[in-house]
Amino acid sequence: MDQEKRQSIYLQAKQWVLEAGKTIRSRINDPLTISTKSNPNDLVTTMDDDTEYFFAKNIKQTYPDHLIISEEGYGDELESLDGTIWIIDPIDGTMNFVHQKRNFAISVGVYQDGIGEIGLIYDVMADVLYSAKRGEGAFKNQTRLPQLPEKSFHESILGLNHFWLCENSLVEEKVMQRLVKTVRGTRAYGSAALEFAGVAEGIIDGYMTMDIAPWDIAAGIVIVNEVGGKTTNAFGEQVNMLQKNPVLTCNPSIQTELIEDYMKKGKK
């Protein structure tokens, strides 16, 4: 994708993201219809559906040849990443949205033939937009984010959710316990998009999850790339953007130790 086309799509995507966020804020206290998907804790609301429909409708009207991967059913059935693809999570952190009315984000990534070109993560209630265009740096609102500094593994803070404790976890529990005891601290924010943004900003040094969908991470990968961060699956392999993956995004200075000494050694 050339720079002119990337800029044009970025400006349009940014406009839609901010408009959708404004609508969510205006309706944040409205009654919600809440249902579940794969399990009782996998929530979806009318706001998720309405927001995704807003994006899908506008994308298809404005860019009829573009494709969509999305969470709530308005996307296309894709078997490849050929073409221009919007990868959308209308509300990343739905449980936070329902219970806290904050700490959730709109996540929009635009990919061209499998390459991340544009990433937008909008912390709706804080009115903070993380954004990036490939090769042009990453920003928090209007402030350019610096390249990630060297970081000691023992001084690192990692974003970890609880799924490594589950019976079907891909990693041995004792290895994960050792990891938690070795790093400076761990955090769980409940929104993968905001955890990717935290890695890009340098307020956490890595984020790892054992099972996550492309729409949760597509925008974040683009943004983390632009500050020198690295994103792979949890074992150092390329992320498959057409299916769920165990994913690690982090400061590059801790990547090798985290993967080689913990993830690969602890793999079941």
Side-chain angles (χ1 to χ4, degrees):
M1 183 181 291
D2 64 46
Q3 187 175 16
E4 183 178 350
K5 181 179 179 181
R6 185 166 52 241
Q7 175 68 3
S8 175
I9 295 174
Y10 166 79
L11 291 174
Q12 181 63 84
K14 179 180 176 181
Q15 177 185 325
W16 289 336
V17 165
L18 295 177
E19 184 178 343
K22 183 178 180 180
T23 298
I24 292 171
R25 284 195 300 273
S26 72
R27 296 173 53 192
I28 192 68
N29 293 313
D30 289 358
L32 286 172
T33 299
I34 303 168
S35 55
T36 61
K37 295 186 288 186
S38 61
N39 63 68
N41 296 322
D42 187 7
L43 305 181
V44 61
T45 72
T46 48
M47 192 72 79
D48 295 82
D49 286 335
D50 291 351
T51 304
E52 185 170 305
Y53 176 74
F54 166 80
F55 281 106
K57 178 182 178 182
N58 281 289
I59 291 165
K60 290 300 186 181
Q61 287 179 345
T62 309
Y63 307 106
D65 59 329
H66 290 192
L67 300 167
I68 300 171
I69 296 174
S70 56
E71 184 170 13
E72 310 304 344
Y74 293 101
D76 299 294
E77 293 291 334
L78 302 183
E79 295 183 356
S80 81
L81 293 173
D82 295 343
T84 304
I85 302 174
W86 296 61
I87 308 178
I88 300 168
D89 193 340
I91 297 181
D92 182 68
T94 300
M95 190 178 294
N96 289 350
F97 170 71
V98 171
H99 289 272
Q100 302 174 356
K101 294 183 171 29
R102 62 181 185 273
N103 300 323
F104 61 90
I106 298 170
S107 176
V108 175
V110 181
Y111 282 57
Q112 179 69 43
D113 297 326
I115 297 172
E117 297 282 355
I118 295 165
L120 296 159
I121 295 172
Y122 187 41
D123 184 337
V124 174
M125 301 311 291
D127 191 22
V128 173
L129 178 67
Y130 297 87
S131 64
K133 291 170 283 182
R134 183 173 63 87
E136 300 182 39
F139 293 81
K140 178 182 180 182
N141 290 334
Q142 305 305 315
T143 302
R144 188 184 184 100
L145 296 175
Q147 294 291 294
L148 296 176
E150 286 285 322
K151 198 65 180 278
S152 161
F153 190 79
H154 293 271
E155 295 177 343
S156 298
I157 296 176
L158 299 181
L160 293 175
N161 57 36
H162 67 279
F163 293 113
W164 60 269
L165 292 169
C166 300
E167 290 183 4
N168 61 349
S169 173
L170 301 174
V171 183
E172 295 288 347
E173 185 175 334
K174 288 184 179 180
V175 174
M176 294 301 294
Q177 290 174 345
R178 180 165 63 88
L179 171 62
V180 170
K181 292 177 181 178
T182 301
V183 297
R184 174 164 282 173
T186 61
R187 300 289 185 269
Y189 295 98
S191 165
L194 291 180
E195 303 210 52
F196 265 79
V199 172
E201 191 176 353
I203 58 175
I204 59 175
D205 304 296
Y207 166 65
M208 184 165 57
T209 181
M210 291 296 104
D211 187 34
I212 200 161
W215 45 77
D216 297 305
I217 62 175
I221 290 173
V222 180
I223 296 170
V224 168
N225 282 348
E226 288 301 309
V227 295
K230 303 294 183 183
T231 305
T232 63
N233 78 5
F235 306 102
E237 301 159 351
Q238 184 173 349
V239 174
N240 186 332
M241 296 303 290
L242 292 173
Q243 65 184 35
K244 288 188 173 184
N245 298 260
V247 166
L248 166 66
T249 188
C250 64
N251 185 307
S253 58
I254 68 170
Q255 183 190 38
T256 299
E257 185 170 352
L258 185 49
I259 291 173
E260 298 297 331
D261 292 353
Y262 295 90
M263 304 314 299
K264 287 185 176 180
K265 290 183 178 179
K267 188 175 182 180
K268 290 182 179 178

